[in-house]
Amino acid sequence: MRRNIISRLEEENSIPERLSPENIRAMLEKRLPGPIIGAKLNEVRLNGRKQGLLRAAAAAAVMVIAFGGLAISGMDRQTTPAPNSPAAEESVRIADTQGLSGLRGATYNSLYNYLKGSVSESHSYRDGPDNAYILTADDKLDVDDETEIARQFRDYYDRYTVDAEMKSVRVVTQKGFDSPEVDMSLRPELVKSDGKTVFVAGLSDIAAYTADGDHTRRIEKDFFEGTYFRNTMGQNAAFQAKNHTLKPYIIGMYLKDEVLTVLFDFHNVEEMDTKLVVTEYCGICAFDVSNADDISLIYEFEQPGTLKGSGLTEDGSLAIVSEYFNGKRRLSHFVSYKEGEVPAFAPFLFDCGSVEPVPEDSIYIANKNENSAMTYMSSFSLSTGRAERTGTLLMTCFCESLVTAGDSFYLCNTYLGKKEDERVESFGDGYATYYADPQSHIIRADYGDKDRGIAITAAKYPDSIFGTFLTDCSMEEGRLYLCSSDGAVYVFDKDLEELTDLNGYDSAYNSTGFNMGIMKKIEEDQIYVGYTSGIPVLDGSDVYYFDCYDDGTLGLSAGGGCVCRCMVDLSDPDKPDVTYYDLDGRSQSDAPALEGDLSSFWYGRTLFTDLVKMSNKEYLSVYVQPKENYEDLGEEDNLYERYLALRSLDPEDSFTYTDHLNYGDEEHGMGKIKPQESYTARAAGIKDSIKLSDDMAFSSMTTGGGGSLGFSTMSLYSKDAGAVFMPHKEKTVSQHEITQEEYEALTYEDMGRFYAETENNEDGTFTTRYYYIDEIEIKNRFRGYGVSGGRLTDLGDFSAGTWVIFDDRISDEVSFVGTYYKDGYLYAFTTATMAVTDMETGETVFEDGEMM
Amino acid sequence: MNRRTRAGLVERAVKGDAKAFAELYSGIYKKLYYYALANLGSSEDAADAVQDAVLDAFDSIGGLKNAAAFDSWLFSILSARIKRKQAEYVQGRNFGAELGEGKENDLPAEDGAFSQCEIVEGFSQLEEKQRLCLSLYTIGGYRTGEIAEMTGLRPSTVRSLISRGRKKLREILDIKKEVKK
């Protein structure tokens, strides 16, 4: 198709003569040397992750979903039953907000007034999860779309939760690794097992297999059969009109006391005045899995918004948090609303098919909020064979950052101070606007009390200006430590009273008498490329400030090393104590080792990924470095070598290494660099490392089709097997050569099945060959690496099933999901295939395809 | 052109060898032009954009450290030129050169094939991101992962944009076929 289009374009529109290589050569030879690109590097570039955060922050701050021109008349009353729990007419109970700063309880009427007056910026901004899940009225959904959207929902959730958990830098200390109190991951898993049955979450379905080694069998179970989600919501007139099947976009699962709880997002599509209106919803389905052959649905719940986080306590308290972007979507209901009515303008909850509004005493209006975004939080009690909802809250605010510590969520919502006129155009049809002086509102919600259900227990505005996003979180002796995206560090007590803050270098100077400001040395004519300075990372009550250098040596994107510049001990918030500093980079010998910068994942000099702690002495990580001769390699070569490393947590084993940083080369334009100079940094000692096979492409090493490796390493490490499993694929294309005539006769329907290759001949002519693809076989595999006695061993490949397709364009569509190990057998899963392998013999004993 | 040759050409081009640069350029100039055409819709503007991008690239090739990345690097520079040109459209500085204008776009289509004007016009009706990704995919010949690297979008987003763009383009072209009948 690609060459085909070019051939056809060439037939219809010849290339202007002035672009011929000969004329271009003549033009270049006449050209006087000198800079052409006008763009100058006039500011320090943030690394990719930081930029992403800022972009996302700005986008989130103004993101509203537009349905320009839609006349929304109301819910689809044919399919959605009326609410069955109307508000009490006489004595309306509203939420008690005593002691909660910045929140007020609301009645339906005040919620109506709030939403009606809220800002609704109707740009055509369609960036939800990766720009895909919000559809306009004219968009149509088909099965492929749904699969793709499911993938993007999962990516989105990964990015929001798992990536959020990926600190830019992790300090390699025992303390840092031993701090279980705070979990920023909020991540249910994709493979769960009770030892008898393995459950695997595909993109839009759940599969179950008996964990019986060579007697493994698939348990025939349609998990969503009989759900209100499918039977009622999926029978929406809008879906029927479009001949569309509603699908869940599965985020992950929890398994607790023989109850499997599946978390998912979905589109609730409603037809309003012949228009198709898509609303983001999420839900849970809980199944009693005590009898694998009689798995039964025991509970189901849906609420508005896209999932932003979840948590499950040891005693079975489950909570979910979702963000619903535009509470004003049901505009027509605002017009018809009468005081005291159940609010049809706000989306409903669906509890086992019972349609309910959020109770009035659970609605909070955030005082400084002005937009119509709403955050929903619901809690549930899970016990053997039983699940029920214990509460739901609604807050009129975004859910910009969310972390969990124990049975508490900490939500950080940022309000924008004075608005500047600067408008930053983003890519595509929407735009984001940057504001200045954000102020944050931190809200704690506890969900561990099954009788009370989820409840807001603290809410404060920090005294100081706060960054837009939380980047790190720790807890020590009841104090909460938070880092924000602009480099500030805050310490709070259990009631969110602010104890102290280090608001960047200046603040640290004021607090400690230690001038960290001089770290930010940037000479006017030598601007670092991708230099980020003074990023704080927490290790319990210790704050480490580091500088990070992106590495442009490959002419590609970010990567590089991080240098610890300073450590501040905040164990006594009243007396911050600088315990280490190295401002000029003369020595790093006393610095802690760092693992850092996940943003360097793709092309970094060193790949830092999430870490798998093996013991108190060691952990696993993966790093990447360019091959020594990478400059001589071609475009089809793999330029990088990847290593799995068993690293030491012992500071005594850390070592100092030298790398290079680069300067922006204004003379030659944006992104160009001058020769580098060196810097030193510290890294954790490597006990053992093993080179990963060259065919283990980056893209196939991730579970989310491009997401972080961190999740996969976490889920793919098996303590029982004593091994970590790294996914990779082998693609075999069966094809035959066809004539140009046959090639030209192919139609759009054949896209993905043919291609052409053009070679330049030495005499300046071209030879084009045409091929038709008969079949593509993709062998999905996991490479096992044993971890034992401080050594790594290559255990070889284990099958995750074979996928046969006929369209090359979807060959990278399969995502790896995870593995499970039991009794010498490895159960390996992708979204399309699975296999069971006897690890002793390497024989694949069971295989299943086209799973979900 | 083998890999060694390419690395050698880049090395020579870095030293200011226009012949070497032209040789590298010869391998992709068709893709560059039609990619620009799909995004700008005007032959003149597309040729200008390619020419400008080539000059930019030749002047800054010293910053290219990886010979293998020459093609995608040049595409990135061209993308910047295209965006600048599109900004001119928006600002009205180049009014009259908007998508789809020009006599050459009135050529009739052959049976079973879409004419340049239809394809280009079809592209012009896509959203910007769709157009960019789809043209890099179908004309540039890049895979989704590579496009993700070039554009900074996530691979899944690129796949989605291509999928939707392709579908929409097809609908547009189908409608045109129907109209002709």
Side-chain angles (χ1 to χ4, degrees), chain A residues 167 175 178-183 403-408 410 444 472-482 491-494 496 538-542:
Chain A
K167 305 171 182 181
K175 194 172 163 185
D178 287 341
S179 176
E181 292 179 64
V182 176
D183 175 16
V403 296
T404 178
D407 60 359
S408 299
Y410 290 91
R444 187 179 79 203
D472 201 358
C473 176
S474 68
M475 192 167 267
E476 190 166 291
E477 295 183 1
R479 293 185 297 272
L480 180 70
Y481 295 76
L482 296 175
V491 186
F492 302 93
D493 68 9
K494 61 181 175 53
L496 291 179
L538 293 165
D539 183 11
S541 60
D542 294 330

Side-chain angles (χ1 to χ4, degrees), chain A residues 87-94 106-108 360:
Chain A
E89 292 180 1
E90 294 179 357
S91 59
V92 176
R93 291 183 57 221
I94 63 171
T107 61
Y108 292 138
E360 276 186 310

Side-chain angles (χ1 to χ4, degrees), chain A residues 727-739:
Chain A
H728 67 111
K729 301 173 185 175
E730 179 184 314
K731 184 170 115 176
T732 306
V733 179
S734 302
Q735 61 191 33
H736 64 273
E737 193 168 347
I738 57 177
T739 65

Side-chain angles (χ1 to χ4, degrees), chain A residues 440-504:
Chain A
S440 284
H441 193 193
I442 301 181
I443 298 165
R444 187 179 79 203
D446 297 339
Y447 60 91
D449 185 332
K450 289 186 174 180
D451 293 328
R452 181 183 60 179
I454 194 161
I456 295 176
T457 50
K460 292 288 181 191
Y461 297 109
D463 295 335
S464 332
I465 292 171
F466 207 81
T468 310
F469 263 74
L470 298 181
T471 57
D472 201 358
C473 176
S474 68
M475 192 167 267
E476 190 166 291
E477 295 183 1
R479 293 185 297 272
L480 180 70
Y481 295 76
L482 296 175
C483 290
S484 74
S485 56
D486 61 356
V489 179
Y490 296 86
V491 186
F492 302 93
D493 68 9
K494 61 181 175 53
D495 296 319
L496 291 179
E497 289 295 341
E498 187 178 332
L499 301 176
T500 192
D501 68 273
L502 296 179
N503 195 0

Side-chain angles (χ1 to χ4, degrees), chain A residues 13 36 603 749 809 813, chain B residues 56 59 137 149 159 170:
Chain A
N13 184 288
I36 289 296
Y603 290 110
E749 304 298 328
R809 293 164 302 156
E813 295 288 295
Chain B
D56 289 349
D59 282 347
Y137 184 77
E149 291 158 19
R159 283 197 296 269
R170 186 181 172 189

Side-chain angles (χ1 to χ4, degrees), chain A residues 287-354:
Chain A
F287 302 91
D288 180 348
V289 295
S290 55
N291 180 351
D293 290 317
D294 186 22
I295 295 169
S296 57
L297 176 73
I298 56 173
Y299 182 71
E300 178 184 0
F301 175 74
E302 289 88 12
Q303 73 180 24
T306 302
L307 276 170
K308 301 299 284 278
S310 62
L312 176 64
T313 65
E314 278 298 311
D315 71 345
S317 289
L318 170 72
I320 60 173
V321 180
S322 64
E323 183 180 73
Y324 179 69
F325 287 113
N326 193 345
K328 292 183 80 165
R329 195 169 296 169
R330 300 165 185 274
L331 295 175
S332 63
H333 291 283
F334 284 96
V335 177
S336 59
Y337 179 75
K338 290 176 186 165
E339 186 170 350
E341 280 184 348
V342 172
F345 53 83
F348 293 97
L349 314 173
F350 299 87
D351 192 321
C352 290
S354 169

Side-chain angles (χ1 to χ4, degrees), chain B residues 144-158:
Chain B
T144 53
E146 295 168 320
I147 297 170
E149 291 158 19
M150 291 163 69
T151 59
L153 297 166
R154 290 169 68 84
S156 53
T157 303
V158 171

